[in-house]
Amino acid sequence: MSIRSVAGQMFVLQVLIVLLLVVTAVVVLLVQSRSDRFDAAHGRTLAAAQGFAHGPGLVAAMQGPDPSAVLQPLAEAARTAAGVDFIVVTDRNGIRYTHPDPELIGKMFIGTIGPSLHGQVTIEDVHGPLGSEYQVVVPVEDSHGAVVGIVSSGMKVSNVSSAFNRQLPVVLGVGALALGLATAGTALVGRRLLRQTRGLGPEEMTRMYEHHDAVLHAVREGVAIVGGDGRVLLANDEARRLLDLPPDVEGRPVADLGLAPRTSELLISDRAVTDEVLPVGDRLLAVNSRPTDSGGGPSGSVTTLRDSTELRALAGKAEVARSRLRLLYEASLAIGTTLDVRRTAEELVRTAAHEFCDYATVDLAEAVLDGEEPRALLVDAPVELRRVALAGVRDDSPLYPQGELVRWGRGTPQAAGFVRGSPTLVTELATDAGWRMQDTERTQAVLEFGLGSLIAVPLSARGVLMGIACFWRSRDRGPFEEEDLSLAEELAARAAVSIDNARRYTREHTMAVTLQHSLLPRALPEQSALDIAYRYHPAQAGVGGDWFDVIPLSGTRVALVVGDVVGHGLHAAATMGRLRTAVQNFSTLDLPPDELLGHLDELVAHIDQETAAAEGELAITGATCLYAIYDPTTGICALARAGHPPPALVHPDGTVEILTLPAGPPLGLGGMPFEAMEVRVPQGSNLVLYTDGLIEDRTRDIGVGLDILTATLARADRSPQEVCDAVLDALLPVRQTDDIALLVARTRMLAPDRLSEWEVAATPAAVGRARAEATRQLTEWGLEEAVFVTELVLSELVTNAIRHGTEPIKVRLLYDRTLICEVADTSSTAPHLRYAAAEDEGGRGLFLVARLAERWGVRYTPWGKIIWAEQSLQPSASMAWPVIE
């Protein structure tokens, strides 16, 4: 490494800097050390002198018969303790009483004592018996303030320790380390410079740069180098001429040079470009670009430009073809983003109106909008199409507006294209008689508006002719040509496939929604136990299998059901219908919620077995269900669930409770029993049942949904209808991907005066007493017209309980919308209806009950069974319950 090189010169500079810093540090240490020594000597001697001068008994000792004998040992002890060289006590004349050298006692003190005789402290450097010393002279005063002597303390400055000796090796060591680092750094820099310059010296590098610069600006090909940050690093004279670059282009961002977007993109792009034609002003440039980081170099690109103006005609055609390909590419991305017929048509007209034409319209048959196939038309038949999309450069065009039903005449290009299924090119609208006959006033307005050319292309896919797409150009832009017809057909063909897909989806979705609605409850049944409101929202993307039901049971009880079949489409809707029907059938058996879910689980497993047998593979339907039975006579609600979200109970005071029911597995899994739970529900409470689509969403966790539901329900002053609206306002997602079923039921209690219950003895005589008690109660209720039938029904039921049942036997009458007679016993023997022969003595009791009552049945309880029968009442007698306050 030569001293003439950059690395050598940097090394010498670093050495000089390090030496200067080391010398400066040493000088500073010396000055600071000297100052620290004098400060330490001053403080120590002054403290020793003042401390001894003010010591107790000093004045008395000095005035005693032999001061030296008393003070000499005291002074030596204080000197040793203070770490000074001497402590001398003298009288007012300077005659020593003490001294470290006993031979000097009684001799004259060396130093200035005059100021101290006047009460002042003197600090000075003297040459005393011990050598050059730093001493302090302090007066000794008696109790009256008179000076009776002096005390002097001193020490040699050389005896004060200094940090210089300790810090000097550190400074020198750091300096040596800095020199070592400078040497190593210089060596590394020198080696790196040698690698980067490939061993060339400054002279060789200068000559090479001058040679390359001369070559760069002499060639007739533009060269531009752009860094990774988008700034121009170098541009030769030819590049500045071809691109009209300013003289100070180096260092400026490409985006600030005022170039065309495509030119800027090519200069800053890191992709390889080979002989791409670029129009710049009136020139056509052949562009080649390569990234600079491919061989491990810095990021950026090198672009070369050649003037190829003679290729203008060829470049023009290539640009047209490129623009058409780009338009088709953009159309493939923009058209058909949704399965909506109108939205797809709007995407077509917006895409075409940007580059291909000035205005674009789409007219479709009414059947297509409904998801159906339009019927075939005769050649001379009028064509009625609905304008579903219109887009253009302005909003005030005289074309038929969006939404209008247009009746196209048979001579128009639109009618001809829709009937024959072939495109039509009209280069000049003013001379086309068929088009001008459609609507004289409107066509004249179109011509005056400036539109002069038209292409009408039928929208056909999979053999279905659905409508017409029309593309319009103004006279200023020039008429359509034959080459434009193929582009219009390609655009229409791509849109037609998407429109047909949307049409098919609309048809299938409509069928699924129709099937689903036909399987859901059309209206709520009449009952008095619950005030019910519900909401059902099918998914936007596809129909699911959510369902709900309200089922009146015997004894004024009401069953509430909410379920969810996994999946979407017709299969899910059909499975939902099967499960809802099964629940209704099982409910007629008056089964407890857990037993009903057990039967439903077996049904779902059977459905899976049927599917597996038909399709040859195992299929799991997957369904959840929540079943609740509310009894208004006791206020108890029995609930059980199979993998379904838990219900919410809103108490009359507004507190909300998520009922922690045993979860149970989803239906169809089998192997696990279901467990029911009973909850006492106060009068006026709200039971809220729902499916998971309400609380769970792609953008919201189920826990967050439950928190929002709980906060929304925490009000007690709303009706069930208002509760439904509030819950949906808070939880309904913008993009609903799953069905939502919501059921809100406000509880009521049967008034005590509408219920009568008593126990019957197991003797034949008790039958008459039961009839008498029933007659009395019906008379009290004002139901005299029902006494005769009730006596017959009650006689048969009580007689059967006495003959075939076991005690205790209880009778209960319920006055609801119907009159209900119940006879309970502790036997589990199931009664059955028989048809007795003419000579049989018995077997007609239940037959009479079935004929006289509107309904009858048996339900089992944990302690036995209940046989019940319902009678219809006159409209005036079957009023709704009075509300219990």
Side-chain angles (χ1 to χ4, degrees):
M1 181 176 61
S2 173
I3 194 66
R4 299 179 59 185
S5 65
V6 175
Q9 295 172 1
M10 288 298 298
F11 174 70
V12 173
L13 178 61
Q14 292 179 13
V15 170
L16 293 176
I17 291 173
V18 170
L19 291 178
L20 178 61
L21 292 176
V22 171
V23 171
T24 303
V26 172
V27 172
V28 170
L29 282 176
L30 286 174
V31 174
Q32 185 66 35
S33 175
R34 178 178 177 81
S35 176
D36 291 344
R37 278 182 161 184
F38 279 101
D39 291 343
H42 169 267
R44 191 182 302 176
T45 56
L46 179 61
Q50 287 182 339
F52 197 83
H54 293 86
L58 176 63
V59 175
M62 294 176 65
Q63 294 176 351
D66 191 0
S68 297
V70 176
L71 296 177
Q72 175 66 15
L74 296 177
E76 288 302 304
R79 177 184 66 83
T80 304
V84 296
D85 292 339
F86 66 88
I87 293 179
V88 176
V89 182
T90 69
D91 59 7
R92 288 180 54 85
N93 298 321
I95 302 301
R96 300 187 182 100
Y97 290 143
T98 65
H99 195 279
D101 187 357
E103 295 181 357
L104 298 179
I105 296 176
K107 295 183 178 181
M108 181 63 71
F109 173 74
I110 299 175
T112 304
I113 64 174
S116 299
L117 296 178
H118 294 86
Q120 299 179 4
V121 177
T122 303
I123 302 173
E124 58 183 346
D125 273 331
V126 298
H127 188 78
L130 301 179
S132 179
E133 299 169 335
Y134 188 86
Q135 68 181 14
V136 176
V137 181
V138 178
V140 179
E141 298 176 348
D142 58 10
S143 60
H144 301 289
V147 178
V148 298
I150 61 174
V151 174
S152 177
S153 174
M155 63 184 303
K156 295 180 180 179
V157 176
S158 59
N159 291 341
V160 180
S161 62
S162 173
F164 176 76
N165 295 332
R166 298 190 305 272
Q167 295 177 349
L168 182 61
V170 176
V171 173
L172 295 179
V174 171
L177 178 62
L179 287 176
L181 292 176
T183 304
T186 302
L188 292 176
V189 170
R191 293 180 61 185
R192 184 172 180 84
L193 288 175
L194 287 176
R195 287 198 305 269
Q196 292 181 346
T197 60
R198 303 184 185 276
L200 298 178
E203 294 82 0
E204 291 85 355
M205 291 292 296
T206 301
R207 286 196 301 270
M208 180 179 294
Y209 173 78
E210 292 174 349
H211 175 72
H212 288 177
D213 186 66
V215 173
L216 180 66
H217 292 284
V219 297
R220 301 307 299 170
E221 186 173 89
V223 178
I225 303 177
V226 179
D229 58 353
R231 295 181 179 272
V232 178
L233 301 180
L234 184 145
N236 66 352
D237 296 339
E238 184 67 7
R240 301 183 189 207
R241 183 183 71 84
L242 294 176
L243 297 177
D244 295 328
L245 299 177
D248 58 342
V249 67
E250 279 83 1
R252 295 179 57 181
V254 175
D256 297 343
L257 299 178
L259 301 175
R262 185 182 170 196
T263 305
S264 300
E265 190 273 334
L266 280 176
L267 290 177
I268 64 178
S269 174
D270 57 354
R271 63 185 179 90
V273 176
T274 302
D275 291 334
E276 183 169 334
V277 178
L278 176 67
V280 177
D282 58 350
R283 300 186 183 95
L284 289 177
L285 305 182
V287 180
N288 291 271
S289 181
R290 295 292 184 272
T292 58
D293 57 356
S294 58
S299 61
S301 62
V302 177
T303 304
T304 61
L305 309 102
R306 297 193 308 274
D307 192 353
S308 303
T309 309
E310 65 274 6
L311 301 177
R312 180 184 300 274
L314 180 60
K317 293 182 180 180
E319 182 62 24
V320 171
R322 184 175 179 274
S323 64
R324 291 179 175 178
L325 290 175
R326 185 176 66 253
L327 178 60
L328 291 176
Y329 173 73
E330 293 175 354
S332 65
L333 297 178
I335 300 174
T337 58
T338 63
L339 290 173
D340 184 84
V341 174
R342 297 179 184 272
R343 179 74 177 273
T344 304
E346 292 172 356
E347 292 169 347
L348 169 62
V349 297
R350 284 199 302 266
T351 302
H354 284 172
E355 296 186 23
F356 180 62
C357 60
D358 296 314
Y359 291 87
T361 61
V362 171
D363 304 332
L364 297 176
E366 290 281 359
V368 175
L369 300 178
D370 297 332
E372 304 297 332
E373 295 184 6
R375 59 185 179 85
L377 297 178
L378 300 177
V379 176
D380 295 335
V383 176
E384 290 186 352
L385 301 175
R386 178 76 64 181
R387 176 142 297 176
V388 296
L390 167 64
V393 294
R394 290 169 54 182
D395 297 332
D396 57 345
S397 69
L399 299 173
Y400 288 110
Q402 185 173 341
E404 184 169 341
L405 182 63
V406 183
R407 186 183 179 93
W408 296 105
R410 62 180 182 178
T412 60
Q414 290 84 351
F418 184 75
V419 174
R420 295 196 301 266
S422 58
T424 302
L425 169 63
V426 180
T427 56
E428 182 58 50
L429 289 174
T431 60
D432 189 81
W435 175 77
R436 300 201 63 174
M437 290 174 60
Q438 167 66 23
D439 185 342
T440 305
E441 294 182 0
R442 187 177 295 274
T443 54
Q444 185 61 34
V446 170
L447 294 175
E448 293 175 356
F449 187 72
L451 298 181
S453 184
L454 165 68
I455 293 179
V457 184
L459 295 172
S460 177
R462 303 180 182 94
V464 178
L465 191 58
M466 298 172 290
I468 288 289
C470 296
F471 307 96
W472 311 75
R473 273 188 185 175
S474 63
R475 296 188 187 90
D476 298 336
R477 190 169 180 175
F480 286 111
E481 300 176 355
E482 290 293 335
E483 292 82 359
D484 297 320
L485 187 60
S486 60
L487 178 58
E489 288 182 285
E490 184 66 25
L491 287 173
R494 299 193 179 199
V497 173
S498 298
I499 291 175
D500 188 56
N501 290 338
R503 178 191 65 82
R504 291 168 177 260
Y505 171 78
T506 301
R507 180 183 61 187
E508 294 180 1
H509 184 72
T510 302
M511 292 173 58
V513 169
T514 302
L515 174 62
Q516 184 188 52
H517 286 177
S518 66
L519 296 174
L520 290 172
R522 299 295 182 89
L524 295 180
E526 292 185 357
Q527 48 82 31
S528 302
L530 298 169
D531 183 11
I532 296 177
Y534 67 91
R535 295 291 186 274
Y536 190 88
H537 287 267
Q540 298 177 3
V543 175
D546 292 15
W547 92 91
F548 67 93
D549 216 339
V550 179
I551 306 172
L553 302 177
S554 63
T556 69
R557 298 171 306 136
V558 178
L560 301 176
V561 191
V562 173
D564 183 6
V565 176
V566 177
H568 295 83
L570 291 175
H571 177 71
T575 304
M576 175 267 289
R578 297 177 67 178
L579 295 183
R580 177 171 177 255
T581 302
V583 171
Q584 290 180 332
N585 291 334
F586 291 146
S587 66
T588 60
L589 302 176
D590 267 331
L591 297 175
D594 51 344
E595 294 185 19
L596 186 142
L597 290 181
H599 288 290
L600 201 61
D601 180 66
E602 294 178 0
L603 174 64
V604 174
H606 181 67
I607 293 175
D608 290 340
Q609 293 175 1
E610 288 182 348
T611 305
E615 299 179 359
E617 59 182 11
L618 181 61
I620 299 179
T621 300
T624 64
C625 184
L626 172 64
Y627 189 81
I629 299 177
Y630 173 68
D631 189 347
T633 63
T634 60
I636 293 178
C637 184
L639 308 97
R641 64 184 179 124
H644 202 81
L649 175 61
V650 184
H651 292 271
D653 60 355
T655 58
V656 182
E657 177 185 2
I658 301 298
L659 299 180
T660 56
L661 306 181
L667 299 175
L669 297 183
M672 293 292 292
F674 299 97
E675 184 178 350
M677 184 179 75
E678 291 186 349
V679 179
R680 184 170 295 278
V681 181
Q683 162 83 9
S685 301
N686 282 337
L687 275 171
V688 182
L689 285 67
Y690 51 89
T691 55
D692 58 355
L694 179 69
I695 59 175
E696 189 175 10
D697 187 56
R698 292 179 179 177
T699 60
R700 181 180 61 214
D701 185 68
I702 188 170
V704 177
L706 281 175
D707 293 339
I708 298 174
L709 176 63
T710 303
T712 306
L713 293 175
R715 280 183 57 185
D717 57 345
R718 293 180 296 193
S719 66
Q721 296 287 350
E722 293 172 339
V723 172
C724 288
D725 294 337
V727 169
L728 291 180
D729 289 342
L731 289 169
L732 189 65
V734 177
R735 179 65 179 173
Q736 184 182 339
T737 58
D738 195 6
D739 290 5
I740 294 176
L742 174 64
L743 193 63
V744 179
R746 176 161 294 175
T747 59
R748 296 176 179 174
M749 291 287 291
L750 182 65
D753 59 354
R754 293 292 188 103
L755 183 147
S756 179
E757 185 176 7
W758 66 92
E759 189 169 336
V760 177
T763 61
V767 178
R769 290 193 292 268
R771 288 198 301 266
E773 179 63 23
T775 301
R776 185 197 62 79
Q777 185 61 62
L778 294 182
T779 303
E780 182 180 336
W781 285 340
L783 302 178
E784 291 84 357
E785 69 277 3
V787 170
F788 177 72
V789 175
T790 303
E791 287 182 343
L792 290 177
V793 171
L794 194 58
S795 296
E796 294 299 332
L797 296 183
V798 172
T799 301
N800 282 341
I802 293 173
R803 294 182 60 185
H804 306 290
T806 58
E807 293 185 289
I809 300 173
K810 294 182 180 181
V811 176
R812 190 170 71 159
L813 296 180
L814 301 174
Y815 178 19
D816 186 22
R817 297 176 182 271
T818 60
L819 180 62
I820 305 172
C821 300
E822 296 182 347
V823 177
D825 63 74
T826 57
S827 172
S828 60
T829 304
H832 60 278
L833 183 65
R834 291 195 302 148
Y835 296 93
E839 64 275 7
D840 290 344
E841 295 182 1
R844 297 177 178 86
L846 290 181
F847 179 76
L848 289 175
V849 172
R851 295 298 300 270
L852 295 175
E854 182 179 0
R855 293 193 310 157
W856 77 279
V858 180
R859 71 174 182 269
Y860 292 93
T861 64
W863 53 86
K865 68 176 182 297
I866 297 174
I867 306 177
W868 55 271
E870 289 187 9
Q871 302 176 50
S872 298
L873 299 176
Q874 298 296 329
S876 60
S878 59
M879 296 184 297
W881 299 347
V883 178
I884 299 177
E885 299 294 343

